[in-house]
Amino acid sequence: MGEHTVASFDEELGSIDQLIRDMGALSATMVADATRALLSSDNPLAQRVISDDAIMDAKQRELDEQAITLIARRQPMAQDLRAVVSAIRMASDLERIGDLAKNIAKRVGAVGQSATPKPLAHSIDSMASLVHDQVKNVVAFYAERRSEELPALRADDEKIDIKYTAIFRELLTYMMEDPRNITACTHLLFCAKNLERIGDHVTNIAENAYYVMTGRQLPMSRPRVDETAVSDAAG
Amino acid sequence: MNMLTEASIEQKLSPMKNEPRIKMRGDKVTVHYGEKQALFGVDLQIPEHQVTALIGPSGCGKSTFLRCLNRMNDTIDGCRVGGKVTLDQEDVYDPKIDVVELRARVGMVFQKPNPFPKSIYENIAYGPRIHGLTKSKAEMDEVVEKSLRKAAIWDEVKDRLSESGTGLSGGQQQRLCIARAIAVSPEVILMDEPCSALDPIATAKVEELIDELRQNYTIVIVTHSMQQAARVSQRTAMFHIGYLVEEGPTDKMFTNPDDKRTQDYITGRFG
């Protein structure tokens, strides 16, 4: 895309784009660190995730401010308008990813007391690495403007949902086996739920990134698998 | 379980839209000013009761095209118009057409307000009088009041109808000119940058007026303000060096235009 007649307009758009990339990179780090801290009971690392979240919040406020100023000053049109509006939305999803990662980090202490059973740790680890890849990829596809990759990435969220369902069942089994597991397992269940929610935010980001690049919306429906819903949980 | 398919959701979100009737149509319209060609085969349909905005950089042919619609180009020496322009399927360049009557049916409002140096009343009454539209003073009074009301300026001038039209503010003068165009009961109103000489408040009033007038008239507006085109029009046509580049629903043109030149122009990337 060519440059604007008014060069400072390009600078302002570039600055907003850079903030999205920064927030994206930070969110990927936070997700990776939070799960690593959880699985290795690494309290200092968990603390870092918690303090990173403050940086994430500050960046989002910065982006909001820049985006609103740009709209007021430039009245952007077409792809510029899409870029600014979607940046606001993507920033809010990235900020939520930060919150969820922080929430996982906060549980590290509570889970740490009791050792996580090996097979379960493995399940959570593999779910977390799926989620981490999704976060990393969506940010990379946005940064490299690879819109053609986004529909598949969004569809891949289903794999996370399937993992989540499996972990949910596994955790139930441990809790039934020994009630002393309940505290730790409940915390782990929240962690798994947080990871699943992060996956959902990634799909939102993918949809917004696709819209920025193409001007078209991805189809509304996406296959959903959540077998933990009412009937199963009750059964 | 009630399954909503994507198609049925789409249908719920956008109720069936009636295709509007085409009021005017340009068919391979070309214009030459002497040796210089200003328009190259423009095909454009003007739907009834909608506002069509013509946009594009200076010299792109948008005003030239606008002036073809009521044969204002006839008044320019050395101007030749080719192709076909129709109003309700009638060729407006047919030699049998009465140009004065055509311009009553297709009225025009110009960039700079140009009231006659006469009273406010006479500014409005002039058109209906020469077209013989009224039979009595009472009937003329009614036409004047109705036109001024429709142009949303009645309340501001009703107590000083005998004062000169040139004594009004710029925004009032422009609305007076719109009232004057309305007075002869046109079907189409052409506006050539009607707000470029007005302040933001007067501009807002004229834009509000354009939206109201759309109920009864078909409007074609040339504007240099992208935001104005986005605000007032339902359809937008983008011109560039004498060609129609792209035409479509305004919502789409300003969020996701197809043509690179339209994108560059509306986002401010044109040299």
Side-chain angles (χ1 to χ4, degrees):
Chain A
M1 186 52 59
E3 287 177 358
H4 284 95
T5 309
V6 182
S8 49
F9 192 171
D10 285 324
E11 286 163 24
E12 288 168 23
L13 279 172
S15 167
I16 288 173
D17 182 64
Q18 189 56 50
L19 276 169
I20 288 289
R21 290 164 193 240
D22 292 350
M23 289 177 74
L26 183 60
S27 70
T29 308
M30 287 174 75
V31 170
D33 287 352
T35 45
R36 202 146 54 82
L38 179 71
L39 296 169
S40 56
S41 300
D42 185 340
N43 274 317
L45 187 57
Q47 281 310 315
R48 205 174 80 199
V49 175
I50 293 166
S51 63
D52 277 352
D53 190 52
I55 299 174
M56 183 70 106
D57 289 356
K59 283 200 187 291
Q60 192 209 1
R61 272 201 297 274
E62 168 78 28
L63 184 141
D64 271 356
E65 216 163 276
Q66 288 190 15
I68 284 167
T69 308
L70 186 142
I71 291 170
R73 193 182 288 162
R74 312 283 181 196
Q75 292 102 50
M77 289 284 191
Q79 76 264 33
D80 299 336
L81 179 60
R82 299 201 304 265
V84 175
V85 172
S86 297
I88 296 173
R89 292 205 213 124
M90 287 190 280
S92 116
D93 279 309
L94 288 166
E95 188 272 335
R96 287 296 300 149
I97 291 177
D99 284 346
L100 292 164
K102 181 177 81 171
N103 187 273
I104 294 174
K106 277 177 158 176
R107 294 175 193 276
V108 168
V111 178
Q113 261 92 80
S114 53
T116 312
K118 264 245 157 55
L120 180 60
H122 178 73
S123 300
I124 290 182
D125 192 24
S126 82
M127 179 178 183
S129 81
L130 269 182
V131 173
H132 179 244
D133 284 350
Q134 287 280 90
V135 176
K136 221 174 50 194
N137 287 338
V138 81
V139 173
F141 296 156
Y142 168 79
E144 294 155 22
R145 298 288 185 264
R146 284 155 66 187
S147 61
E148 71 285 355
E149 309 273 5
L150 291 167
L153 180 136
R154 185 176 71 146
D156 275 351
D157 186 55
E158 197 190 342
K159 291 180 188 158
I160 296 175
D161 294 346
I162 291 168
K163 279 270 186 233
Y164 172 65
T165 308
I167 289 173
F168 177 83
R169 295 222 169 100
E170 225 174 309
L171 284 165
L172 277 188
T173 317
Y174 286 119
M175 288 192 260
M176 283 187 285
E177 267 173 13
D178 186 346
R180 281 172 298 176
N181 288 335
I182 287 178
T183 306
C185 284
T186 305
H187 282 297
L188 287 173
L189 183 57
F190 276 119
C191 291
K193 184 67 194 168
N194 287 344
L195 288 169
E196 189 271 335
R197 290 296 300 152
I198 290 173
D200 291 345
H201 287 293
V202 169
T203 64
N204 285 348
I205 295 170
E207 286 162 9
N208 279 309
Y210 189 82
Y211 180 65
V212 175
M213 290 179 235
T214 65
R216 281 172 285 126
Q217 306 264 17
L218 283 167
M220 260 194 272
S221 55
R222 183 176 66 81
R224 295 207 68 105
V225 180
D226 183 1
E227 291 176 12
T228 63
V230 223
S231 60
D232 262 311
Chain B
M1 195 182 229
N2 189 10
M3 291 293 283
L4 281 177
T5 63
E6 199 151 309
S8 75
I9 293 171
E10 293 271 305
Q11 212 169 22
K12 277 201 167 66
L13 291 175
S14 60
M16 294 289 283
K17 289 181 193 120
N18 292 328
E19 276 293 306
R21 212 170 71 88
I22 299 304
K23 184 70 185 173
M24 293 196 80
R25 185 189 303 264
D27 219 347
K28 301 193 176 57
V29 178
T30 60
V31 174
H32 285 81
Y33 293 120
E35 290 302 300
K36 193 179 178 305
Q37 187 162 3
L39 273 190
F40 298 84
V42 171
D43 293 319
L44 184 63
Q45 301 185 344
I46 311 292
E48 191 169 39
H49 297 316
Q50 291 200 3
V51 179
T52 303
L54 311 183
I55 63 168
S58 293
C60 67
K62 57 192 189 301
S63 292
T64 297
F65 180 79
L66 188 79
R67 287 199 301 265
C68 290
L69 298 176
N70 69 346
R71 294 182 56 174
M72 288 301 273
N73 286 328
D74 291 14
T75 60
I76 299 171
D77 282 340
C79 178
R80 281 173 294 129
V81 177
K84 200 172 172 190
V85 177
T86 57
L87 170 63
D88 291 333
Q89 274 121 41
E90 224 180 315
D91 186 350
V92 304
Y93 283 89
D94 188 314
K96 282 179 295 209
I97 285 276
D98 174 357
V99 181
V100 174
E101 194 214 341
L102 170 72
R103 291 186 192 139
R105 290 177 68 192
V106 184
M108 194 153 188
V109 175
F110 297 89
Q111 185 170 354
K112 251 185 89 194
N114 53 354
F116 304 137
K118 288 172 176 289
S119 71
I120 293 168
Y121 185 96
E122 275 307 309
N123 262 280
I124 310 299
Y126 182 76
R129 188 174 299 131
I130 61 161
H131 287 287
L133 298 179
T134 52
K135 294 191 189 70
S136 64
K137 171 82 168 72
E139 217 176 315
M140 182 61 88
D141 287 351
E142 198 189 314
V143 168
V144 169
E145 178 174 345
K146 236 167 99 179
S147 305
L148 290 168
R149 275 191 192 282
K150 277 192 190 159
I153 193 183
W154 171 251
D155 289 337
E156 292 160 61
V157 300
K158 64 181 177 205
D159 300 323
R160 45 175 172 150
L161 292 175
S162 57
E163 286 174 31
S164 172
T166 52
L168 296 170
S169 74
Q172 289 172 326
Q173 286 187 17
Q174 194 61 305
R175 280 178 287 145
L176 180 67
C177 292
I178 294 171
R180 188 176 64 191
I182 294 170
V184 292
S185 304
E187 295 157 47
V188 181
I189 303 175
L190 310 178
M191 298 185 172
D192 196 351
E193 295 183 50
C195 299
S196 60
L198 305 186
D199 76 5
I201 297 165
T203 299
K205 284 186 181 159
V206 171
E207 286 181 6
E208 169 68 13
L209 176 60
I210 289 171
D211 205 46
E212 281 166 23
L213 292 176
R214 171 162 87 80
Q215 312 301 324
N216 300 310
Y217 309 96
T218 299
I219 295 171
V220 187
I221 178 171
V222 164
T223 175
H224 273 141
S225 160
M226 235 54 70
Q227 278 71 30
Q228 180 167 67
R231 286 191 299 260
V232 303
S233 71
Q234 284 71 52
R235 296 193 76 81
T236 299
M238 161 77 188
F239 286 74
H240 186 227
I241 46 175
Y243 292 90
L244 175 68
V245 166
E246 184 175 358
E247 184 271 337
T250 297
D251 296 350
K252 180 173 183 303
M253 289 285 282
F254 286 106
T255 57
N256 190 19
D258 290 325
D259 195 282
K260 171 95 170 46
R261 287 164 293 180
T262 314
Q263 275 179 33
D264 285 352
Y265 181 64
I266 64 172
T267 59
R269 287 178 168 87
F270 249 21

